[in-house]
Amino acid sequence: GAVVSQHPSWVICKSGTSVKIECRSLDFQATTMFWYRQFPKQSLMLMATSNEGSKATYEQGVEKDKFLINHASLTLSTLTVTSAHPEDSSFYICSASSPYRVGANEQFFGPGTRLTVL
Amino acid sequence: KQEVTQIPAALSVPEGENLVLNCSFTDSAIYNLQWFRQDPGKGLTSLLLIQSSQREQTSGRLNASLDKSSGRSTLYIAASQPGDSATYLCAVRIGGTYKYIFGTGTRLKVLA
């Protein structure tokens, strides 16, 4: 159990376009989802926390108008990188958690999405 | 502000060695600590989770300990194998939240 998927697994886009990344909890309802960014050979940096049905909470330094997060259902959160630029190229990883399931103290991570902006 | 540091940053050992990876954190008010493995270009695989009230957890050849008061955790890998080669990340969950702060990672290479 506790499977989290991401789609797409990799995407290449032109500078100036917008890209949407989906994060789904497949076998549990995730009240909270998290989005992380990982640059090459660096650790994961939390970008934002999203709770189902409410606005996301962004970490300091993360532009909320650039990284749009929607958590419209208990199994789906989306991250849209608007007007992407080469410096947005990174590995984006989501995680999901729920206080209502076994392992409520854990976060379950998706496989990540590699974004390359040309 | 919670900061998580891992030492060493990189490690290369011959197959069969027992090894220790270190993780330190600045704020002891944590909810739990988790160790992950990340293969190149891949997501995270959870290895061990230690609650703040626990001292250690074991899974197979892996043993993780936690000393919350001193802000330290160690991951012990017994009889290392080439398949253990990966980056190992520790992460602490901030008390009262679901937020995790990740360490800088240790890149492990086990030579056959």
Side-chain angles (χ1 to χ4, degrees), chain A:
Chain A
V3 179
V4 177
S5 70
Q6 283 184 239
H7 178 81
S9 56
W10 58 271
V11 57
I12 300 173
C13 69
K14 292 182 179 180
S15 185
T17 61
S18 293
V19 175
K20 180 185 284 188
I21 302 170
E22 293 184 347
C23 176
R24 293 183 185 271
S25 55
L26 299 184
D27 54 358
F28 68 103
Q29 293 184 326
T31 52
T32 306
M33 287 185 169
F34 303 84
W35 287 95
Y36 295 84
R37 179 167 53 185
Q38 186 179 34
F39 292 109
K41 296 188 178 181
Q42 295 187 26
S43 191
L44 278 74
M45 298 299 294
L46 179 65
M47 298 175 67
T49 303
S50 73
N51 292 294
E52 186 266 336
S54 61
K55 289 184 178 180
T57 301
Y58 291 81
E59 295 299 301
Q60 192 173 9
V62 178
E63 300 175 59
K64 61 179 66 177
D65 294 330
K66 181 168 185 62
F67 299 99
L68 301 179
I69 292 172
N70 183 281
H71 191 167
S73 78
L74 286 171
T75 59
L76 173 64
S77 176
T78 60
L79 168 68
T80 301
V81 183
T82 62
S83 187
H85 291 284
E87 58 265 29
D88 298 322
S89 298
S90 187
F91 194 54
Y92 292 87
I93 302 178
C94 74
S95 68
S97 66
S98 170
Y100 305 116
R101 69 175 307 282
V102 175
N105 292 324
E106 296 185 60
Q107 280 189 26
F108 301 96
F109 286 80
T113 296
R114 172 78 57 196
L115 170 63
T116 301
V117 184
L118 302 176

